[in-house]
Amino acid sequence: MSEKRNIRDHKRRLLAAKYELRRKLYKAFCKDPDLPSDMRDKHRYKLSKLPRNSSFARVRNRCISTGRPRSVYEFFLIFLSYRFKKTNTK
């Protein structure tokens, strides 16, 4: 099950990297008060048509070995817990 979660998260990371520039551009157009409102609405519509998983807000750091989403060290992407290792290594 942890592999499935990690694969899903990896796909989200790839999509987020792919659409990052487009998403930032549309957001900048939406927030620009100098543009006409119909143009801002057009860019807001384009932003809504991007895939949901292409947002960095949906990316979650997970442990590589267990798939656990919390208490993960970002540098290592590994959850360090003596108790967890102790119970699973019998």
Side-chain angles (χ1 to χ4, degrees), residues 23-49:
R23 184 173 285 278
K24 283 185 180 180
L25 185 69
Y26 291 156
K27 279 189 176 184
F29 280 135
C30 290
K31 291 180 182 179
D32 190 6
D34 297 333
L35 291 176
S37 63
D38 60 335
M39 187 176 284
R40 284 185 292 180
D41 291 340
K42 184 177 82 171
H43 288 294
R44 196 171 294 118
Y45 176 76
K46 286 182 180 180
L47 182 65
S48 71
K49 289 299 170 186

Side-chain angles (χ1 to χ4, degrees), residues 2-63:
S2 66
E3 266 187 51
K4 186 176 179 182
R5 288 186 194 127
N6 286 341
I7 289 171
R8 190 181 321 141
D9 191 60
H10 182 68
K11 287 181 182 179
R12 283 183 180 155
R13 286 176 191 274
L14 292 177
L15 268 177
K18 180 179 177 182
Y19 288 101
E20 178 183 15
L21 184 63
R22 216 177 297 178
R23 184 173 285 278
K24 283 185 180 180
L25 185 69
Y26 291 156
K27 279 189 176 184
F29 280 135
C30 290
K31 291 180 182 179
D32 190 6
D34 297 333
L35 291 176
S37 63
D38 60 335
M39 187 176 284
R40 284 185 292 180
D41 291 340
K42 184 177 82 171
H43 288 294
R44 196 171 294 118
Y45 176 76
K46 286 182 180 180
L47 182 65
S48 71
K49 289 299 170 186
L50 290 178
R52 285 187 179 177
N53 284 338
S54 67
S55 173
F56 273 109
R58 293 179 74 112
V59 174
R60 182 80 179 194
N61 286 336
R62 291 189 174 274
C63 176

